[in-house]
Amino acid sequence: MNEFDFIDRLRQQANSRKHSTRILTGIGDDGAVISESGTRDLIVTTDLLIEGVDFHINAAPARLTGHKALAVSLSDVAAMGARPSWSFLSFAMPRERWDSNFKDEFIAGYLALADQFGVTLSGGDVSESTTGVVIDSIVLGEVESGAAVKRSGARAGDQIYVTGNLGGAAAGLKLIELGARVDERSGIRGQESADDQRGSSPTVREGSESEPPAVAGGPEPVPGAVAIGSSDRSDDDAIQSLLFRQLRPNPRVGWGIVLGEQHLATSMIDISDGLSSDLHHLCRESHVGAIIDAAAIPLDIDVKRLCGRRALDPLALALHGGEDFELLFTVAQEDISRLPKKVDGVQISRVGEITERAESIQVRERDRVWDLQPQGFSHFES
Ligand code: ADP
Ligand code: MG
């Protein structure tokens, strides 16, 4: 039994024990939706990060691990179309780790990201571990009542979009496995992928400059990162950028809020396991199928550059590599004209269309059409 089979069973067990009518969505989405008042719904999401499984302590400075612990949960709140406001953080670590500067650096990275999005650390727990570091991250957010964007709302004919670009985080993981490490002299603050930053203004939606920024803060600008042409970037720059895609994900909080508040998305999920797996999750919940256009998938520019020379397939990394923490969402035809071009400097790409054929997910690549199997990450896979 793998992770998802177990969760399915748990979901049935929980659903047969309804103790509260205020739980609107329980197990099975990126976050739970709980009715808070007549006008607001609360979103709650939780993520567990285990040393040696979800992160490797010697692969990254502790600040980045603190950033990522919060980022993964902010991404789930964004995937519900909600605005994050409060967080809870529990962790356990062995005594030797406790006596090092790990915890202070970890908290510094965590709080820097919390400040960027106006999230208040509101509680947690601390314990001693006999093995490695264990981190439990919880984030709460809010949406207008009924506005949460679920995985289950996609309908045939809806267009499929992703934010940003894909494959970078998986390529970064491969580089870490090959021994590459972030160069701290390059500064660990504000490392946004070069693609995202190129020619973008940091917080204001393009074409609607009179509107307020979607979120407090938004991505930090990278000094000197504007208008870097790919030809000016060395391989070292590309490697560093990919390492940061893996180690310092930028949750698409602004896009989540815009898509939720403006009722633009019919369904949404964040890409944590990989596009192929997460699109399957979304289609399964919505009882629909999908056809993806391979040429439309936005590939990370550094992945294209480095993979091409190393016989790795950028498309495979984009389809099956996880942890990009981009948003995958669907939009009804009549709402497409209302979509902003960019939010917080991040653009979107239309990658395909929802079909009626339940759970049939296909890729159109030149003159071929093939079935896309879910090959993303799953714990306890046999
Ligand atoms: P995500 O990748 O978005 O964090 P997961 O795949 O971890 O989502 O979880 C899918 C769903 O299963 C979520 O609704 C989550 O809350 C639920 N879930 C996962 N593990 C458990 C558990 N141990 N107990 C109850 N619900 C769980
Ligand atoms: Mg998720």
Side-chain angles (χ1 to χ4, degrees):
M1 177 182 278
N2 73 12
E3 175 191 357
F4 298 114
D5 299 329
F6 174 77
I7 290 172
D8 276 348
R9 200 178 68 183
L10 208 50
R11 184 174 177 179
Q12 286 165 13
Q13 290 170 308
N15 283 347
S16 63
R17 295 172 163 76
K18 275 255 159 69
H19 299 301
S20 164
T21 52
R22 287 175 54 198
I23 178 104
L24 305 177
T25 302
I27 295 174
D29 217 307
D30 293 288
V33 186
I34 300 168
S35 171
E36 201 179 8
S37 67
T39 56
R40 320 280 307 160
D41 292 340
L42 191 67
I43 305 296
V44 185
T45 188
T46 170
D47 287 284
L48 195 56
L49 290 96
I50 307 294
E51 178 184 345
V53 178
D54 300 291
F55 68 97
H56 297 276
I57 219 127
N58 296 320
R63 272 183 84 95
L64 296 187
T65 308
H67 172 104
K68 187 164 176 178
L70 178 61
V72 298
S73 301
L74 290 176
S75 177
D76 278 326
V77 172
M80 299 304 294
R83 185 181 289 269
S85 290
W86 309 279
S87 70
F88 293 78
L89 174 66
S90 301
F91 54 80
M93 60 187 73
R95 174 164 286 274
E96 317 81 76
R97 189 70 64 197
W98 182 261
D99 291 337
S100 74
N101 63 355
F102 178 88
K103 60 184 177 312
D104 300 327
E105 289 290 305
F106 174 88
I107 294 294
Y110 181 97
L111 290 177
L113 183 64
D115 290 345
Q116 188 184 328
F117 291 115
V119 170
T120 304
L121 177 60
S122 311
D125 198 10
V126 175
S127 188
E128 188 173 340
S129 150
T130 51
T131 52
V133 176
V134 174
I135 302 157
D136 180 33
S137 161
I138 295 175
V139 175
L140 277 65
E142 282 182 316
V143 280
E144 176 195 311
S145 183
V149 185
K150 297 194 263 182
R151 295 178 181 179
S152 56
R155 296 295 170 258
D158 288 357
Q159 302 297 296
I160 307 171
Y161 289 83
V162 291
T163 58
N165 52 60
L166 300 175
L173 183 60
K174 286 202 187 300
L175 287 165
I176 289 169
E177 287 166 357
L178 291 170
R181 292 294 178 264
V182 290
D183 177 2
E184 291 194 67
R185 285 167 307 169
S186 71
I188 60 175
R189 278 176 54 79
Q191 279 281 346
E192 178 76 35
S193 105
D195 261 8
D196 287 348
Q197 287 295 326
R198 212 162 285 145
S200 68
S201 68
T203 52
V204 183
R205 275 169 268 161
E206 214 172 58
S208 53
E209 295 195 348
S210 57
E211 291 181 61
V215 290
E220 300 147 48
V222 182
V226 198
I228 307 169
S230 57
S231 58
D232 297 335
R233 286 166 62 74
S234 67
D235 276 5
D236 276 353
D237 290 338
I239 289 169
Q240 287 297 311
S241 177
L242 293 173
L243 291 173
F244 279 108
R245 280 297 305 219
Q246 162 61 218
L247 296 170
R248 193 184 187 287
N250 290 292
R252 301 311 186 193
V253 174
W255 265 110
I257 293 169
V258 167
L259 293 169
E261 287 186 350
Q262 299 183 18
H263 304 270
L264 281 162
T266 52
S267 71
M268 181 149 58
I269 187 169
D270 69 325
I271 301 181
S272 53
D273 298 327
L275 174 64
S276 64
S277 290
D278 291 315
L279 182 58
H280 268 90
H281 294 320
L282 186 144
C283 286
R284 186 171 171 228
E285 293 299 322
S286 294
H287 309 290
V288 293
I291 180 129
I292 296 292
D293 182 1
I297 295 177
L299 303 176
D300 186 294
I301 192 169
D302 294 315
V303 171
K304 278 197 278 188
R305 175 189 175 125
L306 293 177
C307 284
R309 290 193 227 148
R310 285 166 179 75
L312 274 169
D313 178 9
L315 180 64
L317 281 178
L319 285 173
H320 308 302
E323 297 199 292
D324 284 313
F325 295 104
E326 298 294 351
L327 297 174
L328 171 68
F329 60 97
T330 55
V331 179
Q333 294 272 6
E334 61 269 25
D335 289 326
I336 289 171
S337 61
R338 291 200 293 127
L339 279 172
K341 286 205 172 57
K342 287 185 178 180
V343 172
D344 293 336
V346 177
Q347 57 191 27
I348 51 174
S349 308
R350 195 201 72 89
V351 297
E353 184 172 317
I354 295 293
T355 64
E356 270 170 7
R357 293 182 57 195
E359 292 182 54
S360 153
I361 299 176
Q362 297 183 307
V363 176
R364 188 182 297 116
E365 192 177 11
R366 289 186 282 272
D367 48 3
R368 245 168 23 106
V369 174
W370 44 275
D371 286 334
L372 180 65
Q373 301 302 330
Q375 289 175 42
F377 186 76
S378 164
H379 290 292
F380 303 111
E381 206 59 70
S382 51

